[in-house]
């Protein structure tokens, strides 16, 4: 890890490379999938240089560990076939459901996260994984509907990344809060002389430029005797993939058993049934037999009804998935990274860094599914007078006053319509990231020993401007449907036609674009000292101590008009179709101190090549939840050089985030199946379904059955704590150079876990048990429709998970070149959430391992990846495979209740030219064009977007240069 910015050798390594990397346990082997420090080169007798690796503040020469660390070098990243750090990390077998570019059915909105061990506190969240850059914290992300409480990996310029280390072990005693599931440390480009560049372009095999990507990075470096400069620029752009471009996502797996809405509308119009003037039959345009527009000209007078007929399936089926919405949304990013190093003296160096990143992304949704009426419908209180300009059954269409129909606000009329005339809803994000940091590091002598110190300070900010286009302004719709006199007296009012296609002027009048803003900020300062206290018989007793200060801030400014009550409707309704939320403002700060010891107990003894003990402790004092101390202990034992037994015990700690504490109430739409479908009469064994009318079907309400809900923070939250145990063995036999095997068992128990029950869990508990379990579900007493489901953060009883990670690697030379083979697997034995019974009974246990029966929540027992690489003099080739095991699916009548296993296969070839100054690459990801396994629980997109890739076969070419 020594900097090459100067030919001077004033110290064996640059402390700033790891400035801010707090404690850990002992030393770190990277014998997992990408790189293995115990490769043959590590077996030589060359004098090793002191290094700092992720998980410890102590400089050490032994790169083995009592905890599992995966190291990815710049070469590994270049040959990974991925275009972003998020995509690369999410392919790890230990990664759970994580936010990615998949678009319209989730909450990523262009963000990317890493969720190790499935322990994220929310859907796709990475808030129990600590993401660092050169050992220092990165600012939390921002989003379309409020800021985040985890790092968005798409806010990092690709050009700054030189390597990645992943610690798959608890590390709160080392790094502080959030490091419960593990730590990801992004290593930045080190000083060098010259120019490096890369470019890559790719497209799917499905044609029309669908899913196309373009990326490039250019980095320049210059070193002088005491100074160095690095400057890097990066760019990335991807095109969308539409749901109707893939067979799996074109149509929901859930069969439509009740008449749904469409651009032709569904009309319940009291007064038309058995109407003598219009000659309509009994039941025409009634709730039992809604009418649909036939897309023909509406006749005048008593011919008006001829343009309408009773709706029926399958003729009036309408597929919203085929309306051009995105399965994967487009994204564009560019970033700049700059670094300046200067040796102030032979013992003190300065480092300045600046980062700017900008991301633009968007997601296209189906048009608004309008549902309005008088005393019926989702949004009530509208009226259409008998003299309204576009009332086909009114006087303006030639109907005599005596026969003209008024649809009053106290009448049970209802119009449901897909608002294609207004346009597809389009959400867009413009995210800017700024980070400035200053660091000093140096050495000093105590006796004959050298001690190292570093000081670091940074300010970073994420900010986002969002738009949600093509919503509906209810107030303008009310005026346009209502009294012609009132409309004429209102500036800009345009009479609205809901019975047949709108004009552009009408669509423009009711169209609303939501504009919102939010940001997060991080102030960070740290000081660290490390060195050897004295010599023990087995080696030096090493110590690291330090102090850290942080302040986190969050601010969310939702659209004021969206959150204002309607001027004309009941106070329970807002002014637009956009989802509301209240302003969120919050901050906290903390002071932390830590100490770490590395104690060599035995060395070069019979059956004790080495035995080392690592101890760490950290004390944190939060302005919000008080103070907490955490400890970690690890033991590494080598009976012989070839075998390492390792084990750790660590205490974890995570304070509630600003979002979890202070998030204002926010409307959302949940996916899920209402267990009370069919009504109380067919769900007699479910007490929570009592009172739901017979024939009730959730698809007839809200947005084609999506569940309206509210999410909010909880200022009464307490910190969560964790106990993590890991034990494993690392074998690298000297008799077989290049062979290594690691097997590690882990068990994590989180108490007072901060989490929210999923919408599916809340509905199922309500249906099965009734009473207090239904306090979070509010239904319409007349229709049974869910009006609101409340989901709030709370301290659940516990989360327990355990499993095994294993990696086998073999690198060897042949006459034809070097062969590298890796098999990396992870087995999830259990993932159990235990929540208290609100009724005071036995705690409710939800075992998720092996299940995928809830939206965007797939927990297969087995995941793995393997690669086989060959490197010749000027040509190299890599074959990769990634396995995601089977899991259960929701019970259904369409397919079996199982989500099948899948294997994705990738292939890449590289060609080096000009004495390795350039490398050209061609590759194919998902060679066999595998579609994700179908999942009924994830309808209407039909697959778990945070686990699988629907892109299909992706063909790319690229090149790298070094000058």
């Amino acid at each position: 890890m020594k900097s090459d910015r100067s030919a001077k050798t004033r110290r064996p390594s640059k402390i700033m490379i790891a400035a801010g990397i707090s404690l850990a346990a002992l030393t770190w082997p990277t014998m997992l999938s990408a790189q293995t420090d115990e490769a043959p080169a590590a077996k030589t007798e060359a004098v090793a240089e002191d290094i700092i690796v992720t998980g410890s503040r102590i400089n050490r020469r032994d790169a083995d560990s009592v905890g599992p660390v995966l190291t990815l070098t710049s070469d590994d990243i270049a040959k990974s076939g991925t275009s972003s750090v998020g995509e690369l990390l999410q392919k790890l077998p230990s990664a759970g459901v994580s936010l990615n570019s998949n678009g319209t059915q989730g909450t990523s909105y262009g963000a990317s996260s890493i969720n190790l061990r499935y322990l994220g506190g929310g859907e796709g969240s990475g808030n129990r994984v600590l993401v660092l850059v050169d050992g220092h914290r990165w600012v939390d992300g921002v989003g379309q509907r409020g800021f985040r409480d985890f790092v968005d990996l798409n806010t990092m310029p690709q050009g700054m990344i030189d390597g990645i280390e992943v610690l798959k072990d608890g590390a709160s005693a080392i790094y502080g809060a959030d490091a419960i599931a593990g730590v990801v440390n992004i290593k930045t480009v080190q000083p060098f002389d010259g120019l490096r560049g890369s470019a890559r372009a790719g497209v799917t095999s499905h044609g029309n430029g669908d899913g196309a990507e373009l990326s490039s990075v250019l980095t320049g470096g210059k070193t002088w005797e005491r100074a160095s400069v690095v400057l890097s620029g990066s760019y990335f752009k991807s095109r969308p993939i539409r749901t109707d471009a893939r067979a799996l996502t074109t149509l929901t797996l859930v069969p439509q058993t009740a008449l749904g809405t469409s651009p032709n509308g569904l009309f319940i119009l009291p007064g038309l049934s058995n109407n003598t003037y219009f000659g309509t039959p009994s039941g025409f345009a009634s709730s039992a037999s809604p009418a649909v527009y036939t897309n023909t000209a509406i006749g005048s007078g008593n011919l008006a009804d001829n343009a309408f007929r009773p709706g029926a399936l399958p003729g009036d089926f309408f597929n919203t998935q085929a309306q051009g919405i995105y399965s994967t949304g487009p994204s564009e990013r560019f970033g700049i990274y700059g670094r300046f190093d200067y040796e102030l003296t032979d013992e003190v160096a300065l480092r300045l860094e600046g980062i700017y990143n900008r991301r633009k992304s968007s997601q296209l949704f189906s048009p608004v599914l309008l549902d309005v009426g008088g005393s019926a419908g989702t949004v009530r209180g509208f009226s259409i007078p008998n003299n309204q300009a576009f009332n086909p059954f009114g006087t303006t269409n030639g109907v005599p006053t005596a026969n003209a129909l008024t649809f009053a606000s106290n009448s049970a009329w209802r119009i449901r319509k897909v608002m294609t005339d207004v346009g597809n809803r389009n959400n867009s994000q413009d995210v800017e990231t700024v980070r400035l940091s200053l660091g000093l590091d140096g050495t000093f002598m105590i006796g004959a020993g050298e001690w190292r110190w570093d000081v670091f300070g940074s300010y970073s900010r994420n900010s986002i401007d969002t738009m949600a286009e093509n919503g509906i302004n209810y107030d303008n719709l009310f005026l346009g449907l209502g009294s012609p006199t009132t409309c004429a007296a209102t500036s800009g009012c345009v009479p609205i036609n809901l019975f047949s296609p709108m004009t552009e002027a009408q669509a423009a009048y009711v169209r609303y674009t939501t504009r919102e803003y939010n940001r997060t900020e991080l102030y960070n300062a740290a000081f660290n000292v490390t060195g050897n206290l004295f010599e023990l018989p087995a080696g030096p007793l090493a110590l690291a101590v330090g102090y850290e200060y942080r302040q986190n801030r969050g601010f969310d400014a939702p659209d004021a008009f969206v959150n204002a009550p309607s001027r004309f409707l009941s106070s329970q309704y807002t002014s637009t179709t956009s989802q509301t939320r209240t302003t969120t403002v919050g901050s906290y700060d903390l002071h932390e101190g830590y100490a770490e010891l590395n104690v060599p107990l035995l060395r070069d003894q019979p059956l004790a090549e080495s035995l080392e003990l690592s101890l760490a402790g950290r004390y944190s004092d939060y302005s919000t939840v008080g103070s907490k101390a955490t400890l970690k202990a690890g033991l590494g034992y080598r009976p012989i050089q070839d075998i390492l037994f390792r084990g750790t015990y660590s205490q974890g700690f995570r304070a509630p985030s600003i979002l979890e504490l202070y998030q204002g109430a926010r409307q959302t739409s949940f996916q899920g199946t209402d267990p009370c479908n069919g009504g109380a009469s067919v769900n007699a064994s479910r007490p929570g379904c009592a009172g739901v009318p017979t024939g009730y079907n959730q698809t007839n309400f809200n947005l084609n059955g999506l569940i309206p809900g509210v999410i909010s923070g909880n200022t009464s939250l307490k910190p969560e704590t964790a106990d993590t145990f890991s034990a494993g063995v690392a074998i690298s036999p000297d008799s077989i150079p290049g062979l290594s095997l690691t097997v590690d068992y882990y068990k994590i128990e989180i108490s007072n876990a901060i989490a929210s029950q999923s919408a599916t869990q809340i509905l199922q508990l309500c249906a099965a048990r009734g009473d207090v379990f239904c306090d979070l579900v509010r239904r319409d007493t007349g229709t049974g429709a869910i009006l609101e489901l409340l989901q709030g953060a709370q301290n659940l009883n516990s989360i327990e998970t355990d499993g095994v990670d294993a990696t086998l690697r073999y690198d060897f030379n042949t006459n034809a070149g070097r062969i590298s083979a890796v098999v990396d697997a992870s087995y999830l034995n259990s993932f159990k959430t235990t929540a208290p019974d609100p009724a005071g009974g036995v705690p409710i246990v939800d075992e998720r391992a092996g299940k995928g029966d809830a939206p965007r929540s797939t927990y297969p027992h087995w995941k793995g990846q393997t690669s086989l690489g060959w490197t010749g003099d000027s040509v190299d080739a890599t074959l990769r495979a990634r396995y995601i095991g089977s899991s259960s699916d929701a019970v259904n009548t369409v397919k079996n209740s199982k989500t099948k296993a899948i294997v994705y296969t990738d292939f890449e070839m590289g060609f080096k030219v000009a004495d390795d100054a350039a490398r050209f690459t061609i590759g194919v990801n998902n060679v066999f064009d595998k579609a994700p396994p179908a999942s009924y629980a994830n309808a209407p997109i039909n697959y778990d977007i945070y686990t699988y890739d629907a892109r299909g076969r992706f063909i790319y070419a690229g090149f790298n240069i070094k000058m």
Side-chain angles (χ1 to χ4, degrees), residues 758-770:
S758 70
T760 298
Q761 290 172 319
I762 293 171
L763 287 173
Q764 288 175 345
L765 282 171
C766 170
R769 302 198 181 187

Side-chain angles (χ1 to χ4, degrees), residues 121 245 481 642 645 747 822 837 929:
L481 288 177
D642 296 359
F645 294 101
K747 184 175 183 179
V822 178
D837 187 336
D929 199 25

Side-chain angles (χ1 to χ4, degrees), residues 11-22:
R11 49 188 185 271
S13 68
K14 288 296 296 171
I15 214 55
M16 285 304 297
I17 296 174
I21 301 181
S22 306

Side-chain angles (χ1 to χ4, degrees), residues 271-280 302 403:
L272 271 183
S273 172
N274 199 25
N275 187 293
T276 303
Y277 175 78
F278 292 105
T280 54
N302 62 2
N403 302 110

Side-chain angles (χ1 to χ4, degrees), residues 387-540:
N387 61 342
Q388 199 266 354
F390 296 98
N391 180 350
F393 310 105
T395 57
T396 57
N397 192 39
V399 178
T401 302
N403 302 110
L405 298 181
T406 293
F407 305 109
S409 60
N410 60 356
S411 172
W413 67 273
R414 180 185 184 189
I415 296 177
R416 298 168 61 195
K417 189 174 185 180
V418 178
M419 301 296 282
T420 51
D421 296 327
V422 175
N424 282 56
R425 291 170 295 148
N426 183 47
N427 286 1
S428 60
Q429 304 83 40
D430 189 345
V431 181
E432 288 189 309
T433 306
V434 175
R435 187 176 191 255
L436 302 172
S437 65
L438 168 66
L440 292 170
D441 71 279
T443 62
F444 61 91
M445 303 297 294
I446 296 181
E450 182 183 70
W451 286 69
R452 307 181 184 213
W453 62 269
D454 67 82
V455 177
F456 175 84
S458 70
Y459 168 76
S460 47
R461 183 188 71 239
N462 265 326
S463 60
I464 185 171
D465 291 289
T466 70
M467 289 197 307
E469 300 173 278
N470 297 331
I472 299 296
N473 183 325
Y474 282 138
D475 284 352
N476 284 2
L477 181 64
F478 180 93
L479 290 170
L481 288 177
S483 165
T485 302
T486 303
C487 183
T490 303
S491 176
C493 182
V494 177
I496 298 300
N497 181 7
L498 282 186
F499 294 91
S500 59
M502 285 184 176
T503 65
E504 177 50 38
Q506 293 171 355
Y509 181 61
V510 298
R511 183 182 291 123
Y512 186 78
T513 297
T514 301
R515 291 177 170 85
E516 299 179 316
Y517 170 84
N518 60 82
R519 69 171 181 268
T520 58
E521 296 175 283
L522 173 64
Y523 297 83
N524 191 201
F527 172 70
N528 307 281
V529 179
T530 181
N532 296 331
L533 290 172
F534 49 81
E535 287 289 326
L536 295 174

Side-chain angles (χ1 to χ4, degrees), residues 74-75 77-79 158-162 189 192-201 215-221 230-235 911 913 916-921 957-963:
S74 58
D75 188 56
I77 296 171
K79 294 180 179 180
Q158 189 70 19
M160 82 176 193
I161 300 172
D162 190 55
V189 175
F192 70 100
D193 277 304
L195 190 67
R196 302 172 184 170
S198 65
R200 191 179 93 148
S215 61
S216 61
V217 175
L218 184 63
T219 305
V230 173
L231 185 64
S232 177
S234 56
Y235 178 77
F911 307 88
V913 297
D916 294 348
R919 179 177 181 264
F920 293 88
T921 304
F959 70 89
N960 299 70
I961 58 169
K962 294 181 180 181
M963 301 173 61

Side-chain angles (χ1 to χ4, degrees), residues 725-808:
F725 170 77
S726 67
V729 60
I731 303 172
S732 52
D734 191 60
S735 58
I736 310 177
L739 177 67
S740 64
L741 170 68
T742 64
V743 180
D744 289 279
Y745 169 80
Y746 68 89
K747 184 175 183 179
I748 304 171
E749 298 180 358
I750 303 176
S751 300
N752 287 323
I754 301 170
S756 301
Q757 289 182 306
S758 70
T760 298
Q761 290 172 319
I762 293 171
L763 287 173
Q764 288 175 345
L765 282 171
C766 170
R769 302 198 181 187
D771 199 21
V772 295
F773 291 91
C774 292
D775 288 349
L776 300 179
V777 182
R778 182 166 61 88
R779 293 183 182 270
D780 185 301
T781 55
T783 65
I786 298 172
L787 299 177
E788 183 180 273
L789 184 149
L790 179 61
Q791 184 189 69
Q794 55 185 312
N795 288 105
L796 297 177
N797 195 16
S798 68
I799 298 174
E800 298 179 19
T801 182
D802 73 310
V804 177
D805 296 326
T807 301
L808 176 66

